[in-house]
Structures are given as C-alpha cells and as structure tokens.
Amino acid sequence: MLQRSEISSQGPTIAEIDLSAFKENVKTLKLTAKKSMLLAVIKTNAYGHGVVPIGLAAVEAGAERLGVTTVKEGALLRENDISVPVHLLSAVMPEQADEIAAKNLTASVSSKELAVALSRAAVKKGNSISVHLKIDTGLHRFGIEPDEAIAFCQSCYHLPNLHWEGIYTHFSSADEADWETTEKQYKLFMRTVSKLADQGFFFPIYHVGGSTITIERSDMHLDIVRPGIALFGYQPDARQEKIISVKPVMKLKSKILHIKELPPKTPVGYGGEYVTETTKKIAVVPIGHGDGYQRALSNKGEMLVGGKRAKIIGTISLDQTLIDITNIPNVKVGDEVVLLGSQGDEMISARDIAGWMDSIVDEVLAGLMERVRRVYV
Ligand SMILES: *Cc1c(COP(=O)(O)O)cnc(C)c1O
C-alpha cells in the first residue's frame, strides 16, 4: 500500500491503463487469426503502457509468445516470471549474446557476427538458443538479403547450439494498404524459404505480419501473427476500424494547477506566439514535452475539462501546457483534465492527437515518458 504522503508527492498527471480492455484486445486478435500463434508485440515499454504488467496480462489472455526489441525488456519479463518465448525483434549487439543465453530469449539473426556470438554464448552456457532468421524483403532496415540467404545459411546454420526455430520478415508498406508492394515482398519471402528448404535449411516456423496483416490478410497469417499497436486499441490505419473493433487501453489525465484571467492583447507562453484577442481565462495543466506531450501540439491540440473541449494555447513547455477555458463555466483548480480518453460526452483519441501533431498513434503512446505514473485498473 502507498502511504498518504507518497500519493500526494506523486503529482496529478497519470496514465490509466485498462488491463481488461487490453486482454479483450488480445482475445479479439487471437480470434482473428485462430490458426496461428499470437506473438504479442510489447516493445518500447509496451507502446508506453508498461512492459511487465502488459506482458503478464498478454500471457494471461492467451498470447503464446511475446516480442520486444531490447535485451533489457526481455530480461525484465524473465525477472517477472514470464516463461513463454520472448522474441527480440530487433538486431542486438554481439556483446549481448551472454545475456540473451542467460535469459533464454529468442534472438533475430541477420548477421554472421551475431550468429557466431550467440552460438559461443550458448556453448558456454551448455544449452541452445532459439533463433529466427530475419529476411529483408524491402524494409531495408536489417535482415539477410534474399540473394544471400543460402550463403548465409551455409556459413551459419550449422553453428553449434543454435536452434533455428523460425524465419521471418517485416513488410514496409502494409499499413498504407500498398498491397502490390506487400504481395511482392510476401512472394519474395516465400520463395526464399523454399529455396533454403531445397538446400536442406529448414525453419519450422514462418511469420511475416504485424497488426495490419493480422486484421486484413488472413492469407498471410502463417504460423505466427505479431500484432503490436492493435493490442493497445488502435488499428494502424483508420480504414481498419470497420473490420475489427479494439478498445483503447490508455487514458491520460491530469488536474488544473492554476487559473488566470488575461486582458485582451496579452501574449501567452514562451515567445508570446499566442496573443489574446479578447479577455481570456486560461488554465495551467502540469504536463509538457518533458513528459512526452509533444511540443508539436502547441496552439493545436485540445484537452477535455468539465466535459468540454479546451484548446491548447501558446507553446507547450517542458512541464506545463496552457489551455483556454474562457467558455467553460465553473472550472476550479484541481478539476480533472482528460488529455486522452473520454470525459462526459467528449472523447479525444490517440488518433486525434496524432493528427494534430502530424504523426502516428505509436508515437503518441510510446512517446509518453516513464515519469508519467502508470496506474493499472
Ligand atoms: C513493431 C513490430 C511489429 C508490430 O507492428 P504493429 O504495426 O504495431 O502491429 C511486428 N513485427 C515486428 C518485427 C515489429 O518490429
């Protein structure tokens, strides 16, 4: 239990995480890809939702596997007694091989250096490491080029103590519904897999797709689907809202810290970019770009107060944001402000915020800093 003094020192800005909505989303996506295993992608601190509580909830809801990008996140999951396979979906440094072996993580391999380092670490530890070969079909981030896959396997497939459990790729343009490019990449992947098999290089598990493929392309589900953002209640693109329904998991809220009345022609905030035209009542909300509430929302975004929309005015600073409450009656210091989620009949979604800052939902959610307290409900 928290002591009263700790509660009051923690500040009013919190991200409320609805674990039951998250678990429902896991189940919805599992039903969408019934024949495949579900690998819940919970990288980047579970897109800002907290990797450990979300990892535990994902497994409880039936996710067969988890995916992260850093060894640190994988280790955290293991230290919290999560025993399902945990995939590292990004390349990692060869010097992290010992920790991967120690924590029994499933590595992505797309370089000989890493394969050799993992093999050595596994031999040293006296067991094997599961690895998935990453094929680059067009994202050009990392992965073995299809033309080089056979040569790569000739030099690495038989390294001791590596268990080549899977082979996979990641598409570049599925979220944008560029099916021509995606199908080309899919075919290239499948051709590579079969060329490798012809040479005796077998991989029991194939996988290619994140949320978009899970939602829209059952023909590409293969052995594992790897949804990320959809688990947190947002389809990668608004067109998919008609196909599947998922529930937002995060609500972001704060409280009014201070209220001020300003006469006409008063500049407000750093640089005085906003100037009042008429008499204005403004409120200070204790969140800023130091919390991951992006500066791009300056003079653009909105928050909910008293069930109404209040516009952000002036430049967002590290720790504070100003909103215009002139037309919202009876607002007092301490009143709840909702930055993400609903209040009364109004709702602000992460997609709205992403639109205001000309970005995507992933950045809105995953960009929220650790110092914003997460409360699990
Ligand atoms: C991030 C990621 C995913 C999940 O993508 P979403 O679009 O968030 O579902 C799947 N696979 C890999 C390799 C990833 O890096």
Side-chain angles (χ1 to χ4, degrees), residues 39 41 43 47 69 89-90 134 139 141-142 168-170 175 208-212 214 226-231 236 362:
L39 184 159
V41 178
K43 62 190 178 190
Y47 293 64
T69 38
L89 296 170
S90 176
K134 176 88 186 269
L139 187 58
R141 193 165 54 182
F142 61 91
Y168 79 108
T169 192
H170 194 48
D175 293 352
V208 294
S211 296
T212 285
T214 311
R226 309 186 305 255
I229 192 70
L231 299 173
D362 303 46

Side-chain angles (χ1 to χ4, degrees), residues 228-286:
I229 192 70
L231 299 173
F232 301 96
Y234 293 94
Q235 302 83 345
D237 189 273
R239 72 177 183 274
Q240 298 155 343
E241 287 167 5
K242 288 185 241 91
I243 307 173
I244 194 171
S245 129
V246 281
K247 287 188 177 164
V249 175
M250 186 191 288
K251 179 169 184 176
L252 182 61
K253 55 189 195 180
S254 188
K255 287 183 178 159
I256 303 250
L257 183 63
H258 187 64
I259 295 175
K260 231 180 178 27
E261 224 173 80
L262 299 173
K265 304 207 171 68
T266 312
V268 178
Y270 285 125
E273 271 182 45
Y274 178 92
V275 181
T276 58
E277 278 174 21
T278 52
T279 300
K280 288 278 187 198
K281 205 173 186 185
I282 63 156
V284 182
V285 183

